[in-house]
Amino acid sequence: MTHRSGRHFLQIPGPTNVPDRVLRAIDNATMDHRGPEFGRMGLEIFEGLKSVFQTKQPVVIYPASGTGAWEAALVNTLSPGDRVLMFETGHFATLWNKMATRLGLSVELVPTDWRRGVDPAAVEAKLKEDRAHAIKAVCVVHNETSTGATSRIGAIRKSIDAAGHPALYLVDTISSLASIDYRHDEWGVDVTVAGSQKGLMLPPGLSFNALSDKALKASQSAKLPRSYWSWDEMLANNKTGYFPYTPATNLLYGLHEALKMLAEEGLQNVFARHARHAEATRRAVRAWSLEILCSVPEEYSNSLTAVMMPAGHDADRLRKVILEAYDMSLGTGLGRLAGKVFRIGHLGDFNDLTLAGTLAGVEMGLELAGVPHKKGGVLAAFEHLTESARAPSRKVA
Ligand SMILES: Cc1ncc(COP(=O)(O)O)c(C=O)c1O
C-alpha cells in the first residue's frame, strides 16, 4: 500500500463521512451499560431520536445494520402467510421482498421501471381491490438508494386512507432519515425502519424501528417467530435508558453526539441543505449532457443522484478511473443497473466545498475516462450554490 495524501472522498450514498465530533465521541472508554451514566445517556438518545423521526412514539435501537431493522419491522407485526404489498422501486425494495418471502409472508410485488417512486394511485387501486382486507401491510422504501428516486410517503398514506384499508404502513428511511423531510407521526406510518450510516453521520452498525400504537397492538397477536428482534423487552428496558442485551455502547456515544449536531443545525436547515446540494448536483449532470436516472422531478432524491452512462460506456470503469486518479469512491450500479449508472452521494456531513470537490472529481474523471460529455457541470453547480447563498432567507450551511 502506498500512502495517499489528503482525505479520501467517500461519496457513495452511505456509509457517509463520519464527522470528527462523532469520531471523537466514539473514541471514549466503553462504560458500564448497566450503570447510572449510561441510563442518563440512553434517555437523552431516545428523546433526541424522536425529534429526528418527527414522532412522539418510541424508537427502538438495534445493534445491527439496516437489514436487521427490516426484519424486526416484519417479525414484530405479521404472521406466517400474511399478505404484504410491496413495490419494486429498485434494488433495496427487491431485497426487502426477498426477506419477507423467506420469512413466510405472501408478497405481491408491484413492478416499476426503477426510475420513479411508488405511485400513490396504484396503492389506492390495489387496496380497493382487496375487499376482504387480506393485505396486512404495505411496505415502501422512502428513498431508493439504488435509483435516487423517492416515494411520496404522505400521499401514499392518503391513498391507504382513501381506500379505507386497515393495512399497516411500513416505511424504509435508511437513506432519507435526517436528510430528506420525513414525518413518522403526521404521515401515519406504523413502523419506520432506519440505519445509522447515512443521514445520521455514524458508522454502520445501528438500526432503528419507530413505532405506532397500531404497530404495538399488532405485535401482541403477530405470530412470526422472534426473540432477538422482539420489541416488548426492548421497550421495557428502554423506559429507563437501558437495553435487554449488551448495546453497541461506543456507537451510542456517536449517536448521542450526532443528535446534538442535528439539533444545533436544526432539522429544517438539514433538509434545506440537502435539497440545495441535490439541486446543484442535478444542474451539473444536465450541463454534462448526461441523464439523471429518476424520471419524475417531484421524486428526485435529495440524498443521492444516480447518473446514467452514455450507451457503450461502463459506469464501473469510470468509477475505477476516479478512484485511482482522485481517491474518490462513488456508488456502483446495483442489480439490473450494474455498469449502467454511477451514484453521487450528497448526504450526511456535507457542505458546499465537499460538493465542489465531488463534482470536480466527477468532471475530471469523465474527461480522463473518455466518457462523452460537455464541460461546465461544475460551473453550473457553483452558479446555483452562489445564487442560493445570496438569497436573504438562507443561512449558508
Ligand atoms: C434504502 C435501503 N434499504 C436497506 C438497506 C440495507 O441496509 P444495510 O446494508 O445497512 O443492512 C440499504 C443500504 O444501503 C438502503 O439504502
Side-chain angles (χ1 to χ4, degrees), residues 32-160:
D32 172 10
H33 61 284
R34 314 256 184 228
E37 204 185 332
F38 187 95
R40 279 192 292 275
M41 178 182 78
L43 288 175
E44 282 176 23
I45 288 175
F46 291 124
E47 250 345 272
L49 277 176
K50 286 183 186 174
S51 50
V52 176
F53 285 84
Q54 305 200 55
T55 184
K56 294 195 165 46
Q57 306 286 339
V59 181
V60 169
I61 308 173
Y62 294 106
S65 83
T67 305
W70 264 353
E71 181 158 339
L74 299 174
V75 297
N76 277 287
T77 55
L78 298 166
S79 299
D82 274 356
R83 275 185 64 195
V84 174
L85 185 62
M86 289 184 158
F87 296 83
E88 198 209 352
T89 46
H91 180 69
F92 291 104
T94 313
L95 294 182
W96 205 6
N97 160 49
K98 197 163 145 193
M99 169 188 277
T101 307
R102 277 187 187 154
L103 289 171
L105 297 166
S106 164
V107 182
E108 180 180 356
L109 186 66
V110 180
T112 84
D113 62 1
W114 285 38
R115 298 192 68 176
R116 66 194 65 234
V118 173
D119 176 7
V123 176
E124 188 172 334
K126 283 280 170 201
L127 294 181
K128 275 187 173 156
E129 271 170 28
D130 176 36
R131 288 199 195 85
H133 294 169
I135 295 172
K136 298 300 174 207
V138 176
C139 299
V140 175
V141 176
H142 181 206
N143 184 69
E144 237 312 335
T145 323
S146 60
T147 67
T150 56
S151 287
R152 285 163 281 156
I153 301 303
I156 296 169
R157 169 80 260 165
K158 286 193 180 129
S159 298
I160 299 173

Side-chain angles (χ1 to χ4, degrees), residues 20 37 84 92 128 133 213 253 259-260 268 272 364 370:
D20 289 345
E37 204 185 332
V84 174
F92 291 104
K128 275 187 173 156
H133 294 169
D213 283 338
Y253 295 160
L259 290 171
K260 280 191 206 158
Q268 297 309 318
M364 290 191 289

Side-chain angles (χ1 to χ4, degrees), residues 13-15 64-70 91-93 95-96 141-146 172-176 193-198 204-207 304 334 343:
S65 83
T67 305
W70 264 353
H91 180 69
F92 291 104
L95 294 182
W96 205 6
V141 176
H142 181 206
N143 184 69
E144 237 312 335
T145 323
S146 60
D172 168 344
T173 65
I174 289 174
S175 59
S176 56
V193 173
S196 56
Q197 73 272 28
K198 309 215 184 210
L206 294 179
S207 56
L304 75 133
L334 295 169
R343 295 171 300 144

Side-chain angles (χ1 to χ4, degrees), residues 365-386:
L366 290 167
E367 183 68 30
L368 207 58
V371 177
H373 69 288
K374 292 208 177 98
K375 292 191 193 304
V378 168
L379 286 180
F382 285 0
E383 257 168 42
H384 179 68
L385 292 180
T386 47

